[in-house]
Every structure is written in structure tokens, then in C-alpha cells.
Amino acid sequence: MTARNLGLGLGLLLILWGATVFPGGAAEPPATHLDLKEALRLAWKANPNLQISRLQALIAGEQVVRARSGLLPQVKTQVSQTIYDNPMKFSFAGGSTFPQTNRNFWGSQTSVNQLVFDFWGTPSKYMAAIKGHQASLLDSTQTRDNVFLTVAQGYFKTLRAKKLVEVAKQNVFDLKAHLKIAEDQYQFGVVTFNDVLQAKVSLADAEQNLIVAETDYINIRSELNKALMLPVTAPTVLKDEKVDLKPWALGEATDVALKHRADLKASQERIRQQEKTVVETRAQFFPQFGVQAGHFYQVNNSTLHDTQWSVIFAMNWNIFSGLDTKAAVSQAKLKVQQLEEQHKDMNEQVQLDVQTAYLKIKETVDRIRTTETAVTQGEENLRLNEERYKESVGTATDVIDADTLLTRTRVNYWTAVYDHQMAKAQMLWAIGAINELLPQENQPRHVP
């Protein structure tokens, strides 16, 4: 082989290798293998909604620090340099003057202010901030539960979509086998060409359904990837799993939900927070008592003492504010009533969530039992119709109808199977226990 031919051969191999590794100019993302726990762990670590809720809790924590500062001494200091064009002077009768300050001097002033009593206004503000922080932490917990439900449902939707692709492929395979039989029967003059045409039309329809199923699978998988902060186009491979759930009675599950749902607890904390806000606002009707201690120093040749120490006991009372305080107290009380009504509605919604999940579980159990039997019957029905067609007793329409019925039954069965898993995940969410799918020791301590 000449050097020129060898170079052309190597070039061709490089082109073929590049087209294989970099189709469309970019390498396909590597496949990510996940089980449900790993998917939840990824969501716990990187989901943007969880990140936002954690930041909100941190913001509420800093509000506690700000509110507590009102109970602590406030220390202020000031240092200044003053230059006058003429020093300040006293004028006496007869025209004599006496300087009050130097023309150029510097001074300092330090004061410590401490609130003594303001009719529980500042302590209530501090307690309201604590309740707000606790509510934010519970909001973060509920956000976690909502994200876990989204991930669990997305996980099983992806598994279901993959299974429906397999069903569609099986349908195409069965119809190709039937088409082969119809063509053989036609070649031997046993059937008319209409059977072949009918088989081809049915096969084309099945292939179209397969294309749709594959597209749906890619889209559903991409939505899950987005929730897990994985590359949207990543060919994620999921392990087929089941959700463990003990058989709950409806009343028992409802009681657990009312005790453990984080959004209900957060609602209660916000009511308590607003009640403290009412006390804080009402305190504006009354005076504030405080004490101030200070130190003053000024360079002054005209005074006997450059340094002064002072203690001031003060009362500050806004006697009339144009009914602003009265309206603010009324607003705060109405806000409490509003939050209480929202809590009642949320209480009813929690009970509805539990009932919906409970009935969905029962429904899917019945659907699985029914469709599982139907699949077995459909497979036998297809086998019998294929045998009848081979023996020229049955028709091509019978075979195609049997295959269509079996495909629909398989779709119904696998849909019921994965709907059942999603219903169990929804029940765990409804009772506030979906975090059990990812035990605490597996949850990374992640703070943004």
C-alpha cells in the first residue's frame, strides 16, 4: 500500500470515528443511572425551588437578629473637628465680650441608649420574628415535600412512558409477524391481497404510535432531568422501583396529616406571629421609657471642664397620631382573622388531599387486578385468532382487532401499575411523610 493510499485510509477512518462520536457536531451526554433515592437526593441538593426556600429561611433568621437588637443597648459615638471664622462669644452690657468656644477645636460624644419598658412592644416584635422564622423553616420543609412529590411522580411517569414504548414496539413486532403470514397466505392463494393491505395499514399505524410513544418518553424524561438539575437531553436510565406504604385507613391517615403537614404547622405559626404583631402595634398607644448615659468631650479654653458625663431618664409618648395607630391595630387584628380563615380552608384542603390519595390507591389496585387478568385473556385471544387465521378459519380483521385489543389492555395495565406507585407517593405527601423516601442520613446538609 502506498503512503498516499495509507493517508487516505486513515483520513476516512478518522471521519467515520468523528461522525460516530460527535453526531451533529456534539457528543451525546453520558447516560445517568438513578434509583428513586438518588433522584430525591439530587433534587434535595440542587433543585432551585429548594434553594430559594432555604434562602428565605435564612432571611427570616436575620430578621430575628434585627428584632432582638431593640432589646439591647444602642451605642453611638461621634468625633468631629470644628473650624469657625470667628469663635462664638458672649456679649455683655457695655460692649464687652467673652469667648464661648475656641475658633478651631475638636470634640467627641458617646452615648448608650437602653429601652426600659414600652408596654411589651419590642419583646412582641422579637417574638413575632421568631414565629416568622419558624414558619419559614416549615415553608422550606413543605417546599421539600412538594419537590419530592414532583420528582417521585416524574420518576414513575418516566418509567411508565418507557414501558409504553416497549408495548408499542411489541405491537409493531406482532403486526410485522402478521404481515409476513398474510403475505405467505397470499402467495399460496389462500387469501386475497386485501389482507396484505390491511396488515400494512395496521402496521403503519402501529409504527406511528411507536414514534409518538418514543417522543413522549423523551419529553417526560427531560422534565425529570430538569427537576433534578441534570442536562435536559441526558439519556437518564431509571431503576424500576416500588413505593413502600403501609395500608392506611382513611381516618388514621387524615389524623396523621393534620398533625404532621408542614404547611398546616406554618399556617399556625403565622397566626401566632400576627398575634404578637397586634401586641407590638397596640404598644404605640402608650409611652416608651428609656435611659441614656453619655460622655461628652470638647477642646475649649473657655470652659472649666472639657469632659462631661450624663445620665438621662426619658419618656417618649406620641399622644395623638391622627388615628394612625388605631387603624394600624385594627389592621393587625383583621390580619389575624384572615390568617385564621386561611388556616381553616387549609385544614379542609389537607383532608381532601388525603381522601384523594386514598381513593386513588384503591382505584389503581382495582385497575391492576382487572387489567392483569385482561392482559392474559388478550394474549390468549390473539393466539387463538392467529391460529384460526393460519388455518383459514378466521379473518385478518379478527387478528388485527385482537392485537389492537391486547395492546390497549397492556397500555391500561402498565398505566395502572405506575399510577398506583404515584398514588402511594401522593399519599405519603398528603400525610407529610414523603421525606421517608429519602432517610435523613441520606439527605445532604446543604445550606446555600
Side-chain angles (χ1 to χ4, degrees), residues 14-279:
L14 287 173
I15 292 173
L16 292 175
W17 176 82
T20 303
V21 178
F22 303 104
E28 184 177 345
T32 302
H33 294 261
L34 296 176
D35 57 16
L36 182 56
K37 286 184 179 179
E38 179 63 17
L40 293 174
R41 192 190 70 81
L42 288 175
W44 170 258
K45 181 179 180 181
N47 185 272
N49 290 332
L50 269 172
Q51 298 278 34
I52 293 170
S53 68
R54 293 187 185 109
L55 289 171
Q56 185 61 43
L58 291 175
I59 292 171
E62 295 303 320
Q63 184 62 34
V64 173
V65 177
R66 294 187 63 188
R68 185 177 55 205
S69 67
L71 300 172
L72 303 176
Q74 308 295 309
V75 181
K76 297 180 181 181
T77 188
Q78 177 182 338
V79 178
S80 63
Q81 175 81 25
T82 305
I83 302 174
Y84 292 123
D85 57 346
N86 287 302
M88 298 180 65
K89 298 179 180 181
F90 289 109
S91 177
F92 297 95
S96 61
T97 60
F98 185 82
Q100 180 184 358
T101 64
N102 295 352
R103 178 178 177 276
N104 185 352
F105 64 91
W106 70 275
S108 67
Q109 182 175 355
T110 301
S111 63
V112 179
N113 295 274
Q114 175 62 57
L115 176 69
V116 177
F117 183 64
D118 66 347
F119 290 86
W120 303 280
T122 301
S124 295
K125 181 180 180 180
Y126 174 51
M127 292 303 300
I130 291 177
K131 295 300 180 182
H133 184 219
Q134 292 172 346
S136 293
L137 291 173
L138 290 166
D139 287 341
S140 184
T141 300
Q142 186 61 39
T143 300
R144 177 206 62 191
D145 290 352
N146 294 343
V147 169
F148 279 10
L149 176 62
T150 300
V151 170
Q153 289 183 331
Y155 190 94
F156 290 112
K157 285 180 181 179
T158 304
L159 289 175
R160 181 181 65 187
K162 181 181 179 182
K163 188 63 68 174
L164 295 185
V165 169
E166 295 175 5
V167 171
K169 288 181 177 179
Q170 184 63 46
N171 187 26
V172 170
F173 178 82
D174 292 341
L175 288 173
K176 283 183 177 179
H178 170 66
L179 175 60
K180 181 66 170 60
I181 295 172
E183 289 175 338
D184 291 342
Q185 296 282 61
Y186 173 69
Q187 291 295 330
F188 288 106
V190 178
V191 299
T192 65
F193 189 65
N194 183 64
D195 285 9
V196 177
L197 292 176
Q198 189 176 9
K200 288 183 176 181
V201 170
S202 298
L203 177 59
D205 185 62
E207 289 174 337
Q208 176 179 308
N209 292 337
L210 174 58
I211 293 172
V212 173
E214 289 175 334
T215 302
D216 289 343
Y217 169 61
I218 293 173
N219 286 333
I220 293 172
R221 184 184 63 189
S222 297
E223 290 177 1
L224 177 63
N225 287 340
K226 181 178 180 297
L228 302 180
M229 298 304 291
L230 295 173
V232 173
T233 58
T236 308
V237 179
L238 303 181
K239 179 182 177 182
D240 205 342
E241 292 195 52
K242 295 182 179 179
V243 174
D244 293 328
L245 178 70
K246 78 171 192 177
W248 289 94
L250 179 57
E252 182 185 6
T254 301
D255 291 340
V256 171
L258 293 176
K259 291 178 182 178
H260 293 92
R261 275 282 287 267
D263 49 354
L264 266 181
K265 293 180 179 179
S267 176
Q268 292 172 337
E269 291 298 327
R270 296 202 186 282
I271 292 174
R272 298 188 184 106
Q273 177 188 16
Q274 188 59 31
E275 289 172 345
K276 295 297 181 181
T277 301
V278 171
V279 178

